[in-house]
Amino acid sequence: MALDEGGEVLDASTGTAGCSLPIPGEERVLVVPDAYPSIQGAIDAAAYGDTVFVQPGEYHEHLRLRSGVKLVGAGATKTVLDGQGLGENLIDYTGAQNAVVRGFTLRNVGSAGDCSRDVLSCSGDWYSAAVYADGHSGDTWEDCERPSLLLTQNIIEGNEIGVMLYFHALAVVRNNVFVHNQNGFVGSHLQDHAVVAQNVFYENREHAILADAAELDVLNNVIIANGTALEQEHVQRGRVRCNVLFENERLGNVIVPGQDGNIDADPILADLLEGDFHLGAGSPALTAGCLGEDGAEHVAAGALGAW
């Protein structure tokens, strides 16, 4: 994992342990729209280790990522990918390993059909999301071919589904804001491991986090005013620790305030009316987090730094 001076995650190896990784080439920066008129054109021209940098503006493309390519916006409040209400995935990393998406607002992905009325009633490929991956590889799946992504410092808002991981699609989802989606994060028949850490989930109408058959680590999140905070099957359950919960309609079947560092308290966010989800002075979330080992110094929960 690579961090900047403030401790923010810039890059991370998200693939399966033991799998060999390509050696990055020149590590070029391909700039959109200066050098490439379309984001997909720049992604297609990029090699493993390259960065596609997208300048401020609103874009209406539906993107397919490639392995080892970092897709970086100018900042979540500056660079916007808008799905225009269509039932199409905004960013699809199926088939891509060790990709990165950082610094965007990802919004306005609509329903793909009748299955959206129950987000786990059909297989994941029946749905559309702002960020999506299908972990099937042909008729089978191979460990080293599982799609993997670091998703960080983004605002994911106003979508039918914010993030959908389907069947062995790996991801580290860290330091993002999920706001006003129907469902924030969904692990559909995941049967694998994912990490959802240090995010803010606010007013997602049905679920903040929903998963079945997933070894899902849910750590250090601020989960406030959602329909259900966390609903998950009892199969392959990961760690659910040190989350801050407040005014959700339902807690779901996993999180118990007072256990495993999870607390029920007003996180005192800076300015909800202005869309500022940083922690305000005196927030209990400032010392609620426990990403380290037991006994380590506590860290803040919620989405931190620049997004």
Side-chain angles (χ1 to χ4, degrees):
M1 185 172 288
L3 308 177
D4 67 11
E5 294 178 354
E8 300 301 328
V9 178
L10 299 178
D11 195 5
S13 177
T14 50
T16 304
C19 297
S20 61
L21 299 176
I23 298 174
E26 300 177 34
E27 298 189 7
R28 302 170 299 162
V29 177
L30 290 67
V31 180
V32 178
D34 285 0
Y36 294 84
S38 73
I39 303 172
Q40 189 64 58
I43 293 171
D44 292 343
Y48 200 101
D50 287 348
T51 296
V52 173
F53 178 75
V54 185
Q55 293 180 323
E58 182 173 312
Y59 300 83
H60 300 135
E61 298 184 56
H62 296 264
L63 305 175
R64 190 73 174 239
L65 299 188
R66 300 180 65 211
S67 293
V69 174
K70 303 176 184 67
L71 180 62
V72 178
T77 60
K78 299 177 181 178
T79 307
V80 177
L81 282 175
D82 191 303
Q84 299 181 294
L86 300 176
E88 299 178 23
N89 296 317
L90 201 54
I91 295 177
D92 189 335
Y93 69 98
T94 298
Q97 293 83 43
N98 283 296
V100 175
V101 174
R102 172 164 52 92
F104 290 88
T105 287
L106 307 173
R107 70 185 186 197
N108 201 17
V109 173
S111 171
D114 290 341
C115 281
S116 294
R117 290 178 295 186
D118 181 349
V119 76
L120 292 179
S121 64
C122 303
S123 59
D125 51 355
W126 284 75
Y127 302 92
S128 295
V131 178
Y132 172 86
D134 181 350
H136 289 86
S137 176
D139 295 328
T140 61
W141 59 270
E142 300 292 339
D143 283 352
C144 294
E145 295 181 3
R146 303 181 194 183
S148 58
L149 177 74
L150 169 64
L151 182 69
T152 187
Q153 298 180 18
N154 303 284
I155 297 171
I156 301 165
E157 68 172 352
N159 303 287
E160 186 76 20
I161 300 171
V163 173
M164 166 76 84
L165 307 186
Y166 175 42
F167 193 73
H168 296 287
L170 307 177
V172 173
V173 179
R174 181 169 175 168
N175 198 15
N176 305 279
V177 173
F178 291 78
V179 57
H180 298 154
N181 303 286
Q182 186 76 8
N183 295 280
F185 174 95
V186 179
S188 174
H189 307 84
L190 186 54
Q191 301 179 35
D192 220 314
H193 190 207
V195 177
V196 179
Q198 286 185 298
N199 304 281
V200 170
F201 292 87
Y202 177 65
E203 288 192 346
N204 297 282
R205 296 181 296 280
E206 289 294 330
H207 301 88
I209 304 168
L210 175 67
D212 60 356
E215 188 178 345
L216 189 64
D217 285 343
V218 180
L219 309 169
N220 290 35
N221 300 283
V222 168
I223 306 174
I224 178 172
N226 301 278
T228 299
L230 171 59
E231 192 80 24
Q232 186 177 359
E233 284 189 354
H234 293 267
V235 181
Q236 299 175 278
R237 180 171 295 171
R239 299 173 296 164
V240 180
R241 302 178 60 197
C242 300
N243 300 283
V244 179
L245 308 149
F246 189 61
E247 293 188 338
N248 298 285
E249 294 178 18
R250 299 168 298 277
L251 290 177
N253 67 336
V254 178
I255 295 180
V256 179
Q259 294 185 10
D260 298 317
N262 299 298
I263 64 172
D264 187 350
D266 186 347
I268 310 178
L269 301 180
D271 193 338
L272 286 176
L273 294 178
E274 294 297 325
D276 186 348
F277 295 92
H278 292 96
L279 302 178
S283 170
L286 288 168
T287 56
C290 55
L291 277 176
E293 298 297 327
D294 290 342
E297 181 179 354
H298 281 216
V299 298
L304 313 175
W307 38 257

